[in-house]
Amino acid sequence: MKKSLKIILYIAGIILIALIGLTVWFISVTKDAYLDEEKLTDNLISINLFYSDGSPLLDDEEGRISLKDTPKHLQNAFIAIEDKRFFQHNGIDLKSILRALKNDLTSLSAKEGGSTISQQLVKNLYLSNEKTIERKLKELKLTLLLENKLTKEEILEKYLNTVYFGEGAYGIKKAAKIYFGKNPKDLTEDESALLAAIVKAPSYYDPYINLSAAKKRRDLVLDEMAKENYLSQSIVKQLKNNDIYLNNTNNYNHNSILRKDILKETSLLLGIPENQLKNINVYCSLNNLDTTELPTPDEYGINVDFSEIIIDNKDSTVKAYKSTVGEIKRTPASTVKPWLIYAPALEEKIVTEATKINDEPTDFNGYKPRNSSDEYYGLTSVRDCLSKSLNIPSVKILNSLGIDKAINYAKKMNIGISNRDGSIALGNINGGLTLREIASAYLPFSTDGYYSKASLIDKITDEKGKIIYSKKTNKIKVFSSSTSYIINDALKLTSETGTTKKLKSLDFAVQSKTGTNGNAN
């Protein structure tokens, strides 16, 4: 008995020492963690975007909203999917944590976290998303302090005003407008469920990007609402049959794409994941008038996706941009010929502007390209070959230049080409290029051969106005002035007698190039 008692006391002593040690460690790690009253009072998280003249680029109206102005089914949707025991626990839901731990161990993964709405609010207002023990301990301390400071209703209200919904939207008010063009009070049950679904992974469940995944998770939220008796099974079944109707008018769609592309570039410039961007001011190079007045195909009765961009050659900044698809990569087709084929060949003295090339059907070891019209011109000058965008001469020049040299010139302009075959002479580039990448590749022809990547953003400041990023133009010499002049001369001819001769009616000189990918079907 004495021996057993000694063992028990020994074990109890070890546990006591361990607990004291953990307590001291906890106090030490979290000594600087405190509830900043100012952040609790002014809990609005925002990303403000501005045109080059300082005017708001997109809607930056006040995003805060009172809980009483949100429907009960909206509140219930978030509670059902994010924190079922929200009104029962003290901010830390041990039951959910143990369940998540069990599921993670069973699946040998770390997919579930068990964070409560209170913990998520603390993380949104005070902490980063880094996954360290120290940050988690601070989160636990701040969560307990938060629960002692605020009522559950106040916590839920602040959570809905700060949670990130993707598309640059922090808070339910902006999210409701961005996705549905509504105020939160007007959201239906299935719309509320969709917004609650998005917050788990905004970039993945963004319905503008991944509609099927968003709908699947929306239906999961509806199921969870039924389990918690917030909705009946019959209503849930009916709501699941509802399609998702987004606020997808043309004007809004352009703004949505623009916001998305600006935030993507902001994330890359700051080295911060997009869902961690908050309380910053982004000053863009875009000109308000130029951007809003860019013509669109629908103005001419044409219903197609499109992208338009205007870049200032002097400082490599994007002055106007409008798109229905964003910066997707597409096959650039013949738009690559001036900067990937002809300019490098001129630079390497493989050809001159007057060099004659035989434009005729040719078999390049099994590769048999054709001109778009199946018309061939025989011996033709390099200048005319480019202005007419002839395919056979482009492949012949590439063969003389060498694929490696062509690809190296592309690298100087931040363009990677992985496939090494003759089809790259006609713009068959694996993975494709964005419109901005293509436009940037033309900049050397207007800057005596210097390249710099076109940028959307001039500077970024924090919420106090401190500059955290400022654009620096990094110019790289790619082509000589003479090469640039010759290419410009050929592209001017393109606008007079070549593939863009409809532009010759303009009362000023235009250098232009077409690129067509696809067929008549």
Side-chain angles (χ1 to χ4, degrees), residues 114-327:
S115 290
T116 64
I117 284 176
S118 302
Q119 287 175 273
Q120 291 180 50
L121 175 59
V122 161
K123 188 167 65 175
N124 289 341
L125 292 179
Y126 298 104
L127 303 171
S128 68
N129 283 334
E130 62 177 341
K131 295 183 179 181
T132 64
I133 294 176
E134 288 80 2
R135 189 205 63 79
K136 196 66 178 177
L137 292 176
K138 289 179 181 180
E139 179 186 299
L140 295 177
K141 178 184 176 180
L142 290 172
T143 299
L144 294 174
L145 292 174
L146 180 75
E147 287 273 342
N148 287 327
K149 180 75 176 176
L150 304 176
T151 65
K152 287 290 187 179
E153 288 73 17
E154 289 173 329
I155 290 172
L156 183 58
E157 178 182 295
K158 292 182 186 298
Y159 168 78
L160 290 174
N161 279 321
T162 57
V163 67
Y164 186 59
F165 290 89
E167 298 285 340
Y170 280 96
I172 192 68
K173 186 175 182 181
K174 286 191 175 181
K177 183 172 184 180
I178 282 173
Y179 289 107
F180 299 111
K182 295 183 175 183
N183 289 317
K185 65 182 178 63
D186 299 319
L187 292 169
T188 62
E189 287 92 342
D190 52 317
E191 290 170 343
S192 298
L194 178 65
L195 293 180
I198 290 172
V199 299
K200 179 179 176 64
S203 60
Y204 180 73
Y205 292 113
D206 183 338
Y208 284 115
I209 299 172
N210 196 346
L211 185 61
S212 61
K215 188 177 187 300
K216 185 176 180 180
R217 183 157 176 83
R218 180 205 67 176
D219 292 349
L220 173 64
V221 174
L222 290 171
D223 284 336
E224 294 301 315
M225 292 177 75
K227 288 179 184 177
E228 298 302 311
N229 295 317
Y230 294 139
L231 294 173
S232 68
Q233 290 287 357
S234 60
I235 288 178
V236 165
K237 184 177 180 180
Q238 179 182 335
L239 291 173
K240 281 185 177 184
N241 290 325
N242 290 349
D243 291 327
I244 295 174
Y245 295 103
L246 300 171
N247 179 34
N248 204 20
T249 63
N250 278 337
N251 182 52
Y252 175 76
N253 193 36
H254 302 156
N255 286 345
S256 173
I257 293 296
L258 184 55
R259 177 191 292 108
K260 190 174 300 176
D261 289 342
I262 291 170
L263 293 178
K264 181 180 179 181
E265 184 165 329
T266 301
S267 174
L268 290 172
L269 291 174
L270 298 181
I272 299 173
E274 201 171 305
N275 64 350
Q276 293 183 38
L277 295 173
K278 53 188 175 183
N279 298 327
I280 57 174
N281 302 304
V282 182
Y283 296 88
C284 301
S285 58
L286 295 163
N287 180 285
N288 188 346
L289 186 63
D290 289 343
T291 297
T292 54
E293 292 196 355
L294 271 177
T296 58
D298 57 279
E299 294 175 22
Y300 302 92
I302 304 171
N303 183 22
V304 294
D305 282 322
F306 70 92
S307 287
E308 301 170 280
I309 194 168
I310 297 175
I311 296 174
D312 189 325
N313 295 331
K314 295 191 299 295
D315 57 9
S316 300
T317 54
V318 179
K319 294 302 181 185
Y321 174 59
K322 191 173 283 187
S323 176
T324 57
V325 291
E327 293 198 301

Side-chain angles (χ1 to χ4, degrees), residues 49-58 288:
L49 309 179
F50 300 95
Y51 283 108
S52 58
D53 62 0
S55 61
L57 189 147
L58 298 171
N288 188 346

